[in-house]
Amino acid sequence: RSTLFPYTTLFRSASIQANVAWTFDTVADMKLATNLVDGSYAQTLGFYAINDGGGAIYKISETGTADEIATIAVGDLYATIVSGKKVNVKQLGAKGDDTTNDYGALNYAINHYNEVEFPEGTYLITSPITVAYAVSLKGDKAKIHVNTGGHGLIADDLTSLSIENLDFTCPEEYTAQSSHATHIMIKISDSSNIKISDCEISYAVMGITLENCKDIVFTNNIMHHFTGWGVTFGDETSPCENALIDNNVSYSTS
């Protein structure tokens, strides 16, 4: 019995650790943790700093693949974010400071979650993002700064795409003649159930193009400073069907 007591104590200690959500200030602090075990949970109060909007809950596992976005390496363990079908991009490491390239976090979020939120900030991307699945994008005083030298957001063959209260822009100094100019901010083709509302699209060759799409709601958007069209709804070879277009403003082409 004297040898059983220490064993029982150790077993109960491991069990308690596995059922506690340990709290850390940041992801960097969590990565240094030594009290996490397989099956336990960790909570962060921010991604880079407390209250930066990136706080999340992670489940700890002995197996995984660390991408340092949704799954973080913690020593020999892996911490995977617990967020269901909804996430905000700061929980995946986006900074929104208009300096850091947030492409990795945004691309991951848009292609792994049903609903993606963009807290206040300006999110720089330097490569086009291709949308592979139905998704809803919602901003809160948020802007995507497109500096790709090509397109911004590309969507093809989707059953649903919603973009609300999210602005897209290229730096004003990057005119259409510049190699940095964005050609098309948002390009959507062969898709249905498209909603684009309360967005501001600016400084590109073209703002939004829709080709062979149907069931479109395009309302309350502001578009300005294009050398081409602000928005196009197909042509003779790729027409769009059933579009509600209301209360949009377009002005000051460059």
Side-chain angles (χ1 to χ4, degrees):
R1 295 181 65 179
S2 61
T3 58
L4 179 63
F5 181 76
Y7 174 83
T8 304
T9 302
L10 289 173
F11 176 82
R12 292 180 61 190
S13 176
S15 177
I16 291 171
Q17 281 183 296
N19 288 280
V20 169
W22 300 95
T23 300
F24 304 93
D25 288 347
T26 66
V27 167
D29 293 327
M30 179 178 68
K31 289 174 68 69
L32 298 176
T34 59
N35 55 350
L36 298 174
V37 297
D38 181 47
S40 64
Y41 289 84
Q43 179 179 13
T44 57
L45 303 180
F47 199 97
Y48 299 102
I50 296 177
N51 298 326
D52 66 2
I57 295 176
Y58 298 82
K59 185 171 183 179
I60 309 303
S61 176
E62 291 180 343
T63 59
T65 301
D67 52 27
E68 302 304 321
I69 297 176
T71 300
I72 309 296
V74 182
D76 294 331
L77 300 171
Y78 301 89
T80 300
I81 191 171
V82 179
S83 54
K85 298 179 179 181
K86 178 179 178 180
V87 75
N88 90 61
V89 294
K90 289 193 173 182
Q91 292 177 306
L92 299 178
K95 285 191 173 182
D97 60 6
D98 200 20
T99 300
T100 304
N101 183 8
D102 287 326
Y103 168 82
L106 270 58
N107 183 64
Y108 187 98
I110 289 171
N111 286 293
H112 286 82
Y113 293 90
N114 296 124
E115 184 173 337
V116 180
E117 295 181 342
F118 294 77
E120 183 175 0
T122 300
Y123 301 90
L124 171 67
I125 61 170
T126 59
S127 298
I129 294 177
T130 299
V131 186
Y133 308 101
V135 67
S136 172
L137 311 180
K138 295 183 178 181
D140 181 8
K141 299 179 181 178
K143 179 183 295 184
I144 296 181
H145 174 166
V146 180
N147 189 9
T148 65
H151 300 333
L153 203 67
I154 304 169
D156 181 57
D157 195 25
L158 300 184
T159 57
S160 177
L161 174 63
S162 176
I163 306 174
E164 298 180 71
N165 198 30
L166 185 59
D167 300 341
F168 292 77
T169 190
C170 187
E172 182 176 351
E173 64 270 21
Y174 291 160
T175 65
Q177 288 73 37
S178 167
S179 61
H180 295 281
T182 299
H183 186 58
I184 302 175
M185 281 290 185
I186 303 174
K187 185 178 187 296
I188 307 171
S189 57
D190 301 308
S191 299
S192 59
N193 299 309
I194 308 299
K195 180 179 182 181
I196 302 175
S197 296
D198 302 293
C199 298
E200 182 175 347
I201 316 294
S202 60
Y203 292 101
V205 177
M206 298 182 69
I208 303 172
T209 66
L210 297 100
E211 300 174 348
N212 196 31
C213 294
K214 63 181 180 179
D215 302 328
I216 303 161
V217 175
F218 190 80
T219 57
N220 304 318
N221 300 293
I222 299 173
M223 296 165 290
H224 58 94
H225 288 91
F226 306 111
T227 55
W229 295 99
V231 58
T232 62
F233 294 90
D235 54 29
E236 292 182 357
T237 60
S238 56
C240 292
E241 303 176 20
N242 193 26
L244 170 62
I245 305 169
D246 187 46
N247 200 36
N248 301 288
V249 176
S250 180
Y251 68 91
S252 184
T253 55
S254 57

